[in-house]
Amino acid sequence: MAGNRAVAYMGPGKVEVLDVPYPELVLKDGPGVNPANVGRPVPHGVVVKAVATNICGSDQHMVRGRTTAPEGLLLGHEITGEVVEAGPGVEFVKVGDLVSVPFNIACGRCRNCKERKTGICLNVNPDRPGSAYGYVDMGGWAGGQAEYVLVPYADWNCLVFPDKDQAMEKILDLTMLSDIFPTGFHGCVTAGVGVGSTVYIAGAGPVGLAAAAGAQLLGAAVVIVGDLNAERLERARSFGCETVDVSKGDPKDQIEQILGVPEVDCGVDAVGFEARGHGAGAQQEAPATVLNSLMELTAAGGAIGIPGLYVTGDPGGIDEAAKKGSLSLSLGTGWAKSLSFTTGQCPVMKYNRQLMMAILHDKVHIADAVGATPIPLDQAPQGYADFDQGAPKKYVIDPHGMIAGRSAA
């Protein structure tokens, strides 16, 4: 039996690479595993050898101690890899297939899955709808920042790349299909981005940059990205976006300088609950800032997509309300302007095949847009530390040395 190593959350600010058991076709007990899921058989699952598994901003929230994640939780939900074992109930996915694994775990059988709402599957998490690998309160499925990981309901969940050699040539792009590219794209779709749209994306982290690339793919006329990190804003400009430095004041004023009017057709929140203020308050946490700002600057009748993460439990919240996910939103503004809002996990399977085809046929270069940067598994703790300091990169963990030497622009 092969061994296994994985990245684990060991307390606020602390990440370690541990020796862990090789996956079996049953859900085992461990940190964060829902007791009702322990012993759950997975004959419909496969074991995947991780080729590329990415560090996500959602992981970073846990590592900062801003969730109720338990120590020892195995991290990682952005998984691309090779199938090395298939359970007896797997019919179509084969050993040797190179696959993208959506971060949402979905059964394919429940009402929500049948309605393409795979982010809120009813059968994989005993506590509430929706599940993900290596994430707090998501059922306890082991994370994929590892050498090997169990993927349940494989025939439903795995996106098989049609040409393995071609996929390896584009692996840094294709690894973004497990989460951030569909997530950013979903933010734009739900914001109503289309041909000729003007779009403001709050946040120039990887999801915000992926949203910007998605907006361009959807035909937006002008894509404006706001942040207070100069290096991340420079990366947004590198592929044709306009930018707003929110540390210099209200985004509306800078948007007016770009467009001639202080509003956009579509707004996207790619920041989430650790948002900071604007202008003089840019260094202070103000979790409702982005949402309230988007309501102000999105045109009446428009829509706001919210792929940024919001939680119901935040031990580091700025007040008692924020610790429960309760924010002071100017909902009256949204109501008065007849704005639409879409929140929640992106249903990755709704988009990943189409985005795969766009990548394979060179219609988008998402790895360049987000600064994909491969690192060995042992450097994952340093990758987390650098990402936390605002590095304008998307760290791609390479557990088996299969993508060493590849880089994005």
Side-chain angles (χ1 to χ4, degrees), residues 64-67 273-274 285 313-319 322-323:
R64 290 183 185 130
R66 297 298 298 268
T67 72
F273 74 104
E274 288 192 71
E285 194 164 308
D314 173 12
I318 60 172
D319 54 34
K323 289 178 181 179

Side-chain angles (χ1 to χ4, degrees), residues 251-275:
K252 284 204 307 182
D253 298 331
Q254 297 174 67
I255 288 171
E256 185 170 20
Q257 293 173 15
I258 295 167
L259 297 177
V261 292
E263 64 181 19
V264 292
D265 301 322
C266 315
V268 178
D269 174 5
V271 178
F273 74 104
E274 288 192 71

Side-chain angles (χ1 to χ4, degrees), residues 12 16 33 69 143 166 192 237 326 365 387 391:
E16 294 182 7
V33 179
Q166 180 193 28
R237 287 191 292 272
S326 297
H365 298 93
F387 188 40

